[in-house]
Amino acid sequence: MTTQKKLLIYKVLLFLFAFFIAFMPATALRNKEVNSRVIVGILGLDGGDEKISITAQYVMPTETQGSTGKDTVTVEGETLDEAVEALNTALGRRVELGHCSMVIVGSDVKPELLGSLLSATDVTADVWMSAAQEKAEDLLGDLTDFMKKTGATDADFIAYSARKAHIATNTLLGFLSDLGSASKTAYLPLVEMQDSGDKEQGGEGGGSSGDSSGESSGGEEQSSGGGESGGGKGGEGEKPTGMKVEKLAVYGEHGRVCVLDSTSARGVAWVSAPVEKGTVCSDVEYEGKIIKGVCGRLLKKYATVNVDEKNGEATIKIKAYIEPHGDKFNSLFATNNKSADAALIAGYKKKIQGEVESAYKDCLAVNVDPMFIGREFYRYHPDYFKSEYDYSAVKVKYDIEISLK
């Protein structure tokens, strides 16, 4: 064998050996690393004073295409770090929080715990946030049962609501930023579960107690939770059949202050949330008659809060583009005359202003500011804010403009 052939054989063997060293062990290690992790889709937080409770909805990936079924586990710790470590131990693998798509907080969770969640874990700043009426553990258990039943993914309903429904949503970073603003207020959509035991009932008014649900949002039929708080469970053996995201949990510096009913929650969404879709239904007075529930699609809206430090005034301005639809509209307003349009505009304007006024009244009663009036005074008139500003003394005006499409 010639020297040239020997060199060629050596080169081939060297290449194969280098390939084995470079790729084969890495592949084995990657497979081993994947199998040593647990992916958490939704995280629930409860407690905060003495014990912190974490409930995780998790999926364990495998090498082959296998089970993607979800399950939950709950652990406790005196600190957030201890609770996360207990979660690793309970599942026997390292918990991967970077893929978490939603965090649910219980009624007793303090804002500083959410700050620690962002700074001390792999949970991302843009993760969706929601609130449970009572315990996040109960809500997450029911939510997981519902997802198994319907095939819904982790935060479908919140992601959908962020743009396509009239619901004020928030992310972890958005919540902490709002709370750190001059208004010292933040909000989270409150999620409840419906089950086969829920019955349609008329809700009572009032927005700050959180125990009653106001008039149906958007004129649609509203069902009242007939089960336990938190998970929304009904009678024994009943399974969740749907979700309700109608109310709004409002927070101050020290934790949850109130839960707004559906009417006031819609009012906050008109002003503070980037809502672009949804349904608006209003009673319309036309030719001496009251036509109930004339509905329209919200196509787009713009909202600003203009402040005047000289007069201590804040003007909430909303411009909404609405496309009326439905049998009532078609039969009563098909003539397209100006008086019919004017009646419809007046009805929608009254509906929207009523929701915003309800929100302001309920929030003022408990000294929270989810429409961020104080933040606007601080931005544009900082000296006035520091010396004279008083949230309870601000004169609030409303400027609602409706454009029919």
Side-chain angles (χ1 to χ4, degrees):
M1 183 179 295
T2 64
T3 304
Q4 189 174 6
K5 286 184 178 181
K6 289 181 179 180
L7 288 174
L8 181 60
I9 292 172
Y10 291 151
K11 287 180 180 180
V12 171
L13 292 175
L14 183 61
F15 173 79
L16 293 175
F17 179 74
F19 179 85
F20 177 81
I21 293 296
F23 294 100
M24 298 304 289
T27 301
L29 288 174
R30 279 197 297 269
N31 289 337
K32 185 176 180 180
E33 185 178 0
V34 166
N35 290 327
S36 67
R37 295 184 179 186
V38 177
I39 296 175
V40 172
I42 303 179
L43 198 67
L45 295 178
D46 290 299
D49 290 333
E50 296 181 358
K51 287 283 187 179
I52 295 171
S53 174
I54 290 182
T55 302
Q57 182 196 88
Y58 63 91
V59 176
M60 288 189 179
T62 59
E63 294 182 35
T64 59
Q65 294 182 355
S67 173
T68 57
K70 298 177 175 66
D71 210 340
T72 61
V73 64
T74 301
V75 297
E76 289 185 346
E78 292 186 3
T79 65
L80 182 63
D81 288 339
E82 288 182 1
V84 172
E85 183 60 31
L87 190 59
N88 293 331
T89 303
L91 295 174
R93 304 186 184 191
R94 187 166 72 84
V95 173
E96 181 61 63
L97 297 177
H99 297 284
C100 182
S101 60
M102 184 170 66
V103 174
I104 300 173
V105 298
S107 60
D108 54 355
V109 168
K110 300 295 188 291
E112 53 264 28
L113 180 59
L114 297 179
S116 299
L117 185 68
L118 181 60
S119 61
T121 71
D122 295 329
V123 172
T124 59
D126 60 351
V127 64
W128 292 113
M129 299 286 295
S130 65
Q133 182 75 37
E134 292 295 338
K135 296 194 67 173
E137 177 184 355
D138 295 337
L139 175 59
L140 187 48
D142 282 354
L143 191 58
T144 302
D145 290 341
F146 176 74
M147 288 179 174
K148 290 177 180 178
K149 180 178 179 181
T150 63
T153 56
D154 293 341
D156 279 350
F157 62 102
I158 293 293
Y160 174 88
S161 299
R163 292 289 182 180
K164 298 182 180 180
H166 199 95
I167 297 169
T169 57
N170 215 342
T171 63
L172 177 55
L173 181 59
F175 177 89
L176 295 173
S177 297
D178 290 342
L179 202 60
S181 73
S183 291
K184 300 186 185 304
T185 302
Y187 58 78
L188 295 176
L190 189 136
V191 179
E192 299 173 285
M193 301 303 297
Q194 293 175 316
D195 56 46
S196 56
D198 283 348
K199 297 180 180 179
E200 294 174 2
Q201 302 172 353
E204 300 175 357
S208 60
S209 69
D211 296 326
S212 59
S213 44
E215 74 179 278
S216 172
S217 62
E220 297 175 333
E221 212 168 39
Q222 179 184 352
S223 57
S224 167
E228 300 173 2
S229 297
K233 293 181 181 181
E236 185 176 353
E238 292 173 348
K239 296 295 183 181
T241 60
M243 288 174 284
K244 294 189 297 183
V245 193
E246 297 172 345
K247 301 177 184 179
L248 199 66
V250 185
Y251 292 77
E253 293 180 281
H254 303 295
R256 185 181 299 183
V257 177
C258 67
V259 174
L260 299 179
D261 66 15
S262 60
T263 300
S264 295
R266 282 177 61 85
V268 172
W270 279 115
V271 180
S272 302
V275 173
E276 294 182 355
K277 304 292 181 184
T279 299
V280 183
C281 294
S282 172
D283 296 344
V284 175
E285 184 177 355
Y286 182 61
E287 294 183 345
K289 298 180 180 179
I290 301 296
I291 302 97
K292 291 189 172 293
V294 182
C295 296
R297 298 183 187 90
L298 176 64
L299 303 178
K300 188 171 287 188
K301 68 95 178 172
Y302 300 97
T304 58
V305 177
N306 297 330
V307 295
D308 175 9
E309 87 285 7
K310 293 181 180 179
N311 299 309
E313 294 179 349
T315 302
I316 296 175
K317 301 186 67 172
I318 297 172
K319 184 171 184 179
Y321 295 85
I322 300 173
E323 181 183 39
H325 63 84
D327 293 339
K328 292 183 178 181
F329 169 74
N330 293 333
S331 61
L332 294 171
F333 303 103
T335 56
N336 197 28
N337 61 69
K338 292 183 178 180
S339 62
D341 287 348
L344 193 56
I345 288 173
Y348 286 145
K349 179 178 178 179
K350 182 178 180 181
K351 176 72 173 182
I352 294 171
Q353 183 166 326
E355 291 174 343
V356 178
E357 286 180 337
S358 176
Y360 174 70
K361 178 182 177 182
D362 289 339
C363 293
L364 182 62
V366 290
N367 197 34
V368 288
D369 181 20
M371 290 183 281
F372 305 112
I373 294 171
R375 183 171 66 188
E376 295 306 303
F377 273 105
Y378 178 78
R379 282 179 175 176
Y380 297 104
H381 308 289
D383 293 337
Y384 171 82
F385 180 86
K386 293 177 182 177
S387 61
E388 300 181 46
Y389 174 75
D390 181 359
Y391 177 51
S392 63
V394 175
K395 302 172 186 176
V396 177
K397 298 181 177 180
Y398 305 93
D399 181 2
I400 313 297
E401 182 181 347
I402 306 297
S403 180
L404 301 180
K405 294 295 182 180

